[in-house]
Every structure is written in C-alpha cells, then in structure tokens.
Amino acid sequence: MSDENLTMRRALPEDAPLLFDMIGELAEYEKMQSDVTGTAQMLCDNIKSGLVHALIAEYGGLTAGFALYFFNYSTFKSKRGLYLEDLFVRPSFRKKGIGKALFLQLADLASASGCGRMEWSCLNWNAPSIAFYRHMGARPLEEWTTWRLDEADLKALCANGKDE
C-alpha cells in the first residue's frame, strides 16, 4: 500500500496511554468493557520488558489504529510464532486499507523473524473481521478449540486442585 497519508511505527513505552485508550475502544466494540482490568502502566511495563509489542498506524497525522502482538513457540515446528492479540482500526479510519497495511506489516515481520506461523483469535460474531481474514488468505482452524483459565480460575485451581 502506498498511501502517503498512512504511516506505521513500533509503539514505544510512552505510547502505552494512547494504546490503552484504543484498547478501551476495542473493548467497547466487542462489548467486553468489563474484561479490561489492566492499566496503561501495566501495558507500559510490558512493552518495556519486551513481553508485548505493538504497531501504531497514523493516518493524516492522527492515530488510526494498532496491532498488538507477541512471540510464542511451536513445539512441532521448533520455531517461534507471531501471535496477533488485537488488530483495531478506529471506525472513522476504516475502509482506507489501514487494517490490511497493519496485517501485512505483521506478516512481513513474522516472515523476516523466521516464524513458523502467525495466529490469532476472532470472535465468531465478528463477520467483518472474518471476511477480512479470509480475504487475506487465512483459514480458521476448525479442529482446534481455544481453552482458557482466567485469573480467578487459576487461583481456584491452585487453591483447590492440590486437594484432589
């Protein structure tokens, strides 16, 4: 994409408040505001430590969106992978190719980093995102189900799991 209005850059720790604001916008879009329990300071610390990375897209000098990612590992491939935690473009900037540009930059990063794969999750009801990912050549993993223990579940398991 060669739109001179669009620039992308790696997020720095001082971008954490800006990123956290957009995370709030994403949570509102996904109707998951109550799931946001972190803070901008926690995000800042995680960027500083290298635990998490982000790209920020700016369009016409305004913040348009972000992609937040981290590296994981595949035991079968014996290679690291890139996990896209969130990709978000603010509503007023959609349909300008910004999501595609962020996604392609991450794919380039994964390839250049020798990753064996790039993965992410998508809410089943999010038809626009599903269509976008299919258009980009991605496919859902029908044979896999995402499982989760949240923080409360982990505490309960650690407290009660030893008794069994």
Side-chain angles (χ1 to χ4, degrees), residues 83-104:
Y83 190 87
L84 171 58
E85 180 66 23
D86 284 308
L87 178 94
F88 177 72
V89 176
R90 288 178 156 157
S92 61
F93 293 97
R94 293 184 185 155
K95 305 292 185 197
K96 297 181 184 308
I98 297 167
K100 181 178 181 180
L102 283 165
F103 192 84
L104 289 172

Side-chain angles (χ1 to χ4, degrees), residues 56-139:
I56 295 175
E58 295 169 338
Y59 193 86
L62 301 172
T63 305
F66 74 96
L68 192 130
Y69 65 97
F70 57 89
F71 292 98
N72 58 17
Y73 189 79
S74 168
T75 53
F76 289 174
K77 294 187 177 293
S78 296
K79 291 183 172 187
R80 71 181 182 161
L82 187 147
Y83 190 87
L84 171 58
E85 180 66 23
D86 284 308
L87 178 94
F88 177 72
V89 176
R90 288 178 156 157
S92 61
F93 293 97
R94 293 184 185 155
K95 305 292 185 197
K96 297 181 184 308
I98 297 167
K100 181 178 181 180
L102 283 165
F103 192 84
L104 289 172
Q105 182 139 345
L106 286 177
D108 285 343
L109 175 63
S111 181
S113 299
C115 292
R117 61 186 178 209
M118 182 171 140
E119 294 180 314
W120 60 94
S121 296
C122 183
L123 292 165
N124 291 335
W125 61 260
N126 195 341
S129 292
I130 291 168
F132 169 76
Y133 294 134
R134 286 188 190 278
H135 177 77
M136 298 304 290
R139 58 182 164 51

Side-chain angles (χ1 to χ4, degrees), residues 13-34:
E14 53 267 24
D15 292 313
L18 172 65
L19 282 168
F20 201 73
D21 285 346
M22 286 191 287
I23 289 168
E25 293 173 41
L26 172 62
E28 184 176 344
Y29 171 74
E30 293 181 343
K31 298 173 182 38
M32 299 177 74
Q33 297 97 314
S34 64

